[in-house]
Amino acid sequence: MVARVSPGNRGFFVGLICFIAVVFDGYDLVVYGTTIPALLEYEPWGLDAAEAGMIASYALIGMLLGTLISGFATDLLGRRKLFLTAICWFSLCMLACALAPSSLLFGLFRFLAGIGLGGVLPTAIALTVEFAPPHRRNFASAIMSSGFSVGAILASVLGIVVIEEYGFRPMFAIGVLPLVLLAPVAWRWLPESVDYLVSKGRLGDAEAVARRYGIPWPPPEGARAPRLRGRAALRPLFRPPFLGVAAVFAVATLISQLFIYGLSTWLPQIMRTAGYPLGSALSFLVAMSAGAIGGAAVMSWLADRIGPRRVALGGFLIGAGSLLLLSAHPPTAVLYVAVVLAGVGGNGTAVILNGFIATWFPAVVRASALGSIMTVARFGGILGPMLGGWIMAAGVPVNWNFYVFLLPALAGALVVVLLPRTRTAPPPGEPLRQHTEEVGHA
């Protein structure tokens, strides 16, 4: 007798594919931070801290471009094809990084890899939220997004084992594995978005996917409207109530990206400067990533119960407190606790904000909202590593490496207060004035 797979389990498999992709996304971004000490010591390239910070930003500049492209490419390719394209693209570019003969080409390949990486997370979030049970969407999004931190842990642990013995190149060569292991699985089993199929008028295909994965069918009448394209897809975001909310989300996520990428890129080198050997310095990055995973799980559980706005506010405050603690030169045991809390306040908060964006905006503008907001947020990811590199190159006391991220964390807490108190946007036909006032006084 052949066992039947329930729709819920099929939806879980979609989330699992997205989770694994985000694990590699996290690995490919954080691996650079683990290799900075080795890159600074690699004599043929002769890099200094400021140059290393600039190279770190190249991948994030690529991600900005990739996120922007993904918002429009979704309408042309669909989420499934875009997801597969992004995986194959960044895998090949990571292999090119491993083979790069010069720092110039290495930086170019990091930029190109970033373009592919920029398309992974918004597409993975949108797919995970769509195929998750409605009452578990914050939790599903958070668990999937925590794959980034799992990838960061893998990069850190492998760095401890690999870098001192074999150098930095094998660390980047590992980034080709998604092309070999994940892309074939996703090609065979990842479904196309029901929202996308409906928007294209492919109602027969959409119904088949919806019934197979337990998604309510038929969709609401508003969801049957053709998907807006180009500038028309962005137009609703520039009108109330979406304009103000999108702007606040963009600033909050920008700050969270500055915190995450600035601290995770430079934490190993900061700890090396503080006198820790490479293995111990990388273990702090493992602790930060572990805090991000645990924090995302607990915070998402709370977000489904008390609302994501309150949880994101608490996350930024935890991040600010951890930076104060790190700057005080505490004993090693307390230092590890502070680094764990930094993971909670950085990555954990970002996961909650991403899930909040995906669940607040309605399906007709969800892809455009995620793409546009994450594009703005990438500027924070670009600035963070550069800021850390400038501070490191200035030769100031170690505690200033933490002060530079403290003020943004406090600013993030203030911005979150302006986010909507409601968990979703008002339905069509509900008066917008009352909702806008509620957002403005949140």
Side-chain angles (χ1 to χ4, degrees), residues 319-410:
S322 70
L323 291 169
L324 276 176
L325 192 55
L326 286 167
S327 68
H329 305 290
T332 301
V334 179
L335 196 62
Y336 272 103
V337 172
V339 170
V340 168
L341 292 176
V344 174
N347 297 68
T349 304
V351 165
I352 296 303
L353 289 172
N354 289 339
F356 196 1
I357 294 165
T359 55
W360 193 86
F361 287 94
V364 69
V365 295
R366 183 176 298 143
S368 296
L370 278 166
S372 300
I373 291 170
M374 288 188 174
T375 297
V376 175
R378 296 303 182 197
F379 284 102
I382 293 167
L383 180 59
M386 292 173 63
L387 197 58
W390 294 333
I391 294 296
M392 182 67 66
V396 296
V398 172
N399 54 346
W400 280 95
N401 292 280
F402 302 114
Y403 291 153
V404 73
F405 300 113
L406 175 59
L407 287 178
L410 292 173

Side-chain angles (χ1 to χ4, degrees), residues 119-425:
V120 172
L121 187 58
T123 310
I125 291 172
L127 285 169
T128 300
V129 167
E130 181 176 357
F131 286 93
H135 64 288
R136 302 286 283 175
R137 284 177 172 172
N138 276 307
F139 183 76
S141 174
I143 295 301
M144 185 280 301
S145 298
S146 69
F148 181 95
S149 301
V150 175
I153 289 177
L154 288 175
S156 305
V157 171
L158 286 172
I160 294 171
V161 175
V162 171
I163 293 175
E164 288 190 315
E165 185 71 23
Y166 302 103
F168 65 88
R169 293 186 186 276
M171 296 293 292
F172 291 96
I174 291 169
V176 78
L177 288 179
L179 179 65
V180 178
L181 301 179
L182 182 60
V185 175
W187 177 265
R188 174 65 180 83
W189 281 291
L190 188 69
E192 182 53 272
S193 160
V194 175
D195 290 339
Y196 172 78
L197 294 172
V198 170
S199 74
K200 293 295 185 180
R202 296 165 56 184
L203 297 182
D205 293 337
E207 181 178 3
V209 174
R211 296 198 184 282
R212 180 174 175 80
Y213 288 88
I215 296 173
W217 187 266
E221 287 299 321
R224 294 173 180 260
R227 185 180 295 271
L228 300 174
R229 297 176 179 274
R231 293 181 182 178
L234 295 176
R235 197 171 295 138
L237 294 178
F238 291 93
R239 296 174 178 170
F242 299 141
L243 174 60
V245 177
V248 176
F249 269 125
V251 174
T253 51
L254 183 151
I255 292 171
S256 71
Q257 297 289 303
L258 187 153
F259 186 117
I260 293 167
Y261 291 112
L263 192 58
S264 63
T265 298
W266 285 103
L267 186 61
Q269 185 61 24
I270 292 170
M271 293 306 172
R272 284 290 300 274
T273 304
Y276 291 90
L278 178 60
S280 297
L282 290 174
S283 70
F284 285 105
L285 195 54
V286 174
M288 182 177 173
S289 302
I293 295 171
V298 173
M299 291 166 75
S300 62
W301 181 84
L302 286 172
D304 281 328
R305 285 155 180 79
I306 66 174
R309 175 178 170 273
R310 293 179 181 177
V311 177
L313 174 61
F316 271 123
L317 293 176
I318 289 171
S322 70
L323 291 169
L324 276 176
L325 192 55
L326 286 167
S327 68
H329 305 290
T332 301
V334 179
L335 196 62
Y336 272 103
V337 172
V339 170
V340 168
L341 292 176
V344 174
N347 297 68
T349 304
V351 165
I352 296 303
L353 289 172
N354 289 339
F356 196 1
I357 294 165
T359 55
W360 193 86
F361 287 94
V364 69
V365 295
R366 183 176 298 143
S368 296
L370 278 166
S372 300
I373 291 170
M374 288 188 174
T375 297
V376 175
R378 296 303 182 197
F379 284 102
I382 293 167
L383 180 59
M386 292 173 63
L387 197 58
W390 294 333
I391 294 296
M392 182 67 66
V396 296
V398 172
N399 54 346
W400 280 95
N401 292 280
F402 302 114
Y403 291 153
V404 73
F405 300 113
L406 175 59
L407 287 178
L410 292 173
L414 294 175
V415 172
V416 166
V417 174
L418 302 176
L419 289 174
R421 293 181 180 179
T422 56
R423 301 190 187 199
T424 58

